[in-house]
Amino acid sequence: MNRNSDQVTKGAERAPNRCLLRACGYTDEELSRPLIGVVSAHSEIVPGHLHLDKLAEAVKAGILLAGGTPVLVPAIGVCDGIAMGHTGMKYSLPSRELIADSVETMAQAHCFDGLVLVPNCDKIVPGMLMAAARLNIPSIVCSGGPMLAGRHNGENMSLSKMFEAVGAYKSGKIDDKELHQLEEDACPGCGSCSGMYTANSLNCLCEALGMALPGNGTIPAVHSSRMLLGKHAGMAIIHLVKENIRPRDILTAKAFENAITMDMALGCSTNSVLHLLAIAHEAKVSLNLDLFNEISARTPNLCHLAPAGPHYIQELNEAGGIPAVMAQLAQAGLLDTTLKTVTGKTVAENIAGAENHNEEVLRPLSNPYSKTGGIAVLHGNIAKDGCVVKRSAVAPEMLVHAGPARVFDCEEDAIQAIYQSQIHPGDVVVIRYEGPKGGPGMREMLNPTSALAGMGLDKSVALITDGRFSGASRGASIGHACPEAAMGGEIGLLQEGDTIEINIPEGTVNAKVSPEEFEARRKTYTMKECPIKEGWLARYTRLVASASEGAVLK
């Protein structure tokens, strides 16, 4: 069988290529085997990536065991928590495109026969999956795993509680000593932050898509079984290469439906919508926002993991992990279990024998948190192309809400107003010009939502933005409003005091402003200029598409 790597390892014409490979220390025996790119996002600035060097070594060992030759190459990664609340967050979502492009570059330039992708955090997982779908060479994801929950005063906690503590501190509910103790307790070590935030959402959905081995989403980063998973992933890629099983054989329309179903059952981050759309785009699969609501309508929400509830990813792992969730959904006929996966087996074979060991963490179908899914897509006159809310993290009293708009043209202005106690119960905070083009980069609004929660306003104040929310956000936090303000969306025409009506059960969000009034405002409206004029973000803002299309580059 001809291999992709033959282009650099076979024939007299490739002697110059081979001599450079020899300079890297590769033997004839190694060059006669499949060359497998091990793409590691290891760094010393991201807690979720701190240990990926060790996981990549486990992957390499698995590749060697199965008769392949591992080749370690790097990928970048932004820590969203460290980037939060300042200009750095403008680089987070755009970095997804850089990651996809860099994986494509390394794989194509060096003629790898297959890829093991070793990410963990928010943009890195979808960026690598986008590259795999684009390249369509045998690939498997082996993520770094979740952080263990922190412990404070005898209770579990996570990063979201830390952000909310700032709001509590600003409102005088806790003092300096308590804030510092929380800071020391929140994040106990390596791994992706311990709730169902964006990183863990995507790592779980990799299993649902069939692109990762069972356990990928939930085995804690510090458990030895995570290293075993790495070795098994390394062995699995050789099987995929030999059988020529490619990402687009797995990433089918039905696989995305399975992933969206799991998204709804788990109560994943709203960012999962953005990333699934982008991955589907690279896999040449047509997805749209309406499909998310269609699947949500028939899928029960079975998990309330932090920040929606008191449980953490490590507890879902103990309850049986993603196979247990999939087994329950399969029993209800909500999943296609005939689909191919990177294990070389079908979904049905992967989840055979999976059981739910904790019905508090993973509720049975007979007792869901709600009969519909954890994410809702809303439409209305300020989001004609849709917007997204994590319904499972919204207090019941905020599912239907009406209040006056408090309008801000950037996150910084909104957070200042919140900290200065200028936001009151009943208000609807509107933060615009934070979309993919307008921000640019579609920043996450974790600081405002956490400040509101820390001040006790998450059950009385809603927030709407054309930016995004962290998976750590909770409350009536409605993001991805499309079209964004910088693309002429009506969110840019809102004025202070406009009444905003939100009805999450009915899927609507509207301003009590007539079409005629909107048109009159548009005639005198001056759009805010993009604040970034230099660097690659300036190029990004020219090329990026709407969030309703996954914020892909076009």
Side-chain angles (χ1 to χ4, degrees):
M1 180 183 75
N2 291 331
R3 296 180 185 143
N4 197 35
S5 59
D6 289 351
Q7 299 175 83
V8 293
T9 62
K10 295 288 179 68
E13 301 84 357
R14 298 308 181 192
N17 310 67
R18 287 195 300 276
C19 82
L20 292 168
L21 289 166
R22 291 185 193 284
C24 294
Y26 293 106
T27 66
D28 287 339
E29 290 81 4
E30 288 172 304
L31 296 181
S32 69
R33 299 168 181 168
L35 293 186
I36 307 299
V38 179
V39 187
S40 171
H42 168 251
S43 74
E44 296 181 351
I45 194 63
V46 187
H49 292 186
L50 193 64
H51 63 305
L52 294 188
D53 55 339
K54 297 177 179 63
L55 183 59
E57 288 300 319
V59 169
K60 290 168 64 178
I63 292 168
L64 289 167
L65 281 168
T69 297
V71 182
L72 184 68
V73 294
I76 65 166
V78 170
C79 178
D80 279 16
I82 296 173
M84 197 72 66
H86 56 88
T87 300
M89 181 48 71
K90 294 180 184 292
Y91 286 85
S92 175
L93 179 62
S95 74
R96 186 188 70 182
E97 315 309 311
L98 288 184
I99 292 160
D101 291 350
S102 66
V103 173
E104 176 193 357
T105 299
M106 295 302 284
Q108 293 283 56
H110 304 104
C111 300
F112 294 142
D113 298 304
L115 295 172
V116 182
L117 306 167
V118 188
N120 209 25
C121 290
D122 296 33
K123 305 316 153 310
I124 300 86
V125 180
M128 288 191 182
L129 271 174
M130 289 165 67
R134 184 189 302 171
L135 288 162
N136 203 33
I137 63 173
S139 303
I140 185 171
V141 175
C142 183
S143 301
M147 184 186 294
L148 295 177
R151 295 285 291 175
H152 181 73
N153 292 338
E155 295 183 357
N156 285 343
M157 70 168 295
S158 62
L159 179 66
S160 57
K161 292 293 184 184
M162 192 65 242
F163 275 91
E164 290 174 15
V166 177
Y169 176 79
K170 293 283 187 180
S171 60
K173 292 183 178 181
I174 63 173
D175 59 16
D176 288 280
K177 182 179 178 181
E178 177 71 0
L179 183 68
H180 182 73
Q181 191 60 53
L182 283 162
E183 181 182 329
E184 290 191 335
D185 294 345
C187 296
C190 66
S192 48
C193 296
S194 56
M196 188 54 84
Y197 310 148
T198 304
N200 290 326
S201 294
L202 269 294
N203 288 329
C204 289
L205 295 182
C206 284
E207 286 188 53
L209 284 166
M211 286 297 295
L213 299 180
N216 183 76
T218 61
I219 297 172
V222 295
H223 284 196
S224 62
S225 49
R226 178 59 60 174
M227 294 299 119
L228 301 184
L229 187 79
K231 291 181 181 179
H232 285 297
M235 289 186 272
I237 190 61
I238 300 303
H239 173 76
L240 294 172
V241 169
K242 288 179 178 177
E243 297 298 320
N244 197 28
I245 299 173
R246 298 169 180 256
R248 291 186 204 170
D249 299 327
I250 295 168
L251 293 171
T252 62
K254 288 294 183 182
F256 281 99
E257 289 184 23
N258 278 0
I260 296 170
T261 301
M262 284 292 291
D263 194 328
M264 299 304 168
L266 292 167
C268 291
S269 163
T270 51
N271 284 318
S272 62
V273 176
L274 197 69
H275 298 317
L276 286 173
L277 289 169
I279 297 162
H281 173 76
E282 297 290 356
K284 312 299 182 187
V285 171
S286 178
L287 279 192
N288 60 60
L289 287 176
D290 292 337
L291 181 62
F292 287 82
N293 269 354
E294 290 173 21
I295 292 176
S296 180
R298 63 177 183 256
T299 306
N301 177 223
L302 304 177
C303 297
H304 268 193
L305 301 168
H311 303 298
Y312 294 83
I313 300 294
Q314 67 200 59
E315 295 171 83
L316 179 59
N317 187 63
E318 292 163 5
I322 299 308
V325 185
M326 295 184 77
Q328 289 195 173
L329 295 174
Q331 289 169 10
L334 294 171
L335 294 179
D336 188 333
T337 61
T338 67
L339 303 181
K340 186 181 299 186
T341 74
V342 290
T343 64
K345 301 175 182 178
T346 64
V347 171
E349 291 172 307
N350 287 344
I351 65 176
E355 295 180 359
N356 182 0
H357 301 297
N358 189 333
E359 292 190 350
E360 289 185 15
V361 175
L362 170 56
R363 287 195 174 184
L365 292 167
S366 59
N367 183 34
Y369 283 101
S370 65
K371 293 182 179 179
T372 56
I375 289 177
V377 176
L378 315 180
H379 289 84
N381 65 357
I382 56 173
K384 292 180 177 177
D385 294 339
C387 55
V388 184
V389 63
K390 188 172 183 174
R391 176 178 177 156
S392 60
V394 179
E397 55 265 46
M398 289 299 291
L399 291 171
V400 178
H401 178 77
R406 305 297 308 280
V407 181
F408 303 94
D409 283 349
C410 67
E411 179 192 10
E412 287 81 0
D413 291 349
I415 195 71
Q416 182 178 9
I418 294 168
Y419 285 158
Q420 293 177 353
S421 301
Q422 296 173 10
I423 304 301
H424 309 292
D427 287 348
V428 179
V429 175
V430 176
I431 306 178
R432 60 196 184 186
Y433 292 104
E434 290 286 6
K437 281 189 180 294
M442 205 180 184
R443 287 194 290 182
E444 289 183 343
M445 305 289 132
L446 180 55
N447 278 340
T449 60
S450 298
L452 291 170
M455 292 176 170
L457 293 171
D458 57 299
K459 296 181 179 179
S460 61
V461 172
L463 199 155
I464 299 175
T465 180
D466 52 10
R468 302 180 294 129
F469 291 108
S470 165
S473 291
R474 62 186 174 97
S477 304
I478 302 168
H480 310 194
C482 297
E484 62 173 290
M487 295 180 74
E490 278 73 11
I491 191 172
L493 302 176
L494 290 175
Q495 295 179 358
E496 188 83 4
D498 285 342
T499 298
I500 307 295
E501 297 178 330
I502 300 163
N503 192 319
I504 294 173
E506 292 189 4
T508 60
V509 56
N510 287 288
K512 290 190 73 175
V513 178
S514 68
E516 293 78 15
E517 174 61 19
F518 269 139
E519 282 309 306
R521 292 181 186 182
R522 194 179 295 280
K523 290 176 183 177
T524 60
Y525 170 66
T526 301
M527 192 177 293
K528 178 185 173 184
E529 289 189 12
C530 178
I532 301 293
K533 304 296 184 184
E534 298 176 337
W536 70 269
L537 280 186
R539 181 171 72 248
Y540 176 87
T541 197
R542 293 195 298 271
L543 299 175
V544 69
S546 167
S548 63
E549 299 178 82
V552 297
L553 298 185
K554 290 191 173 180

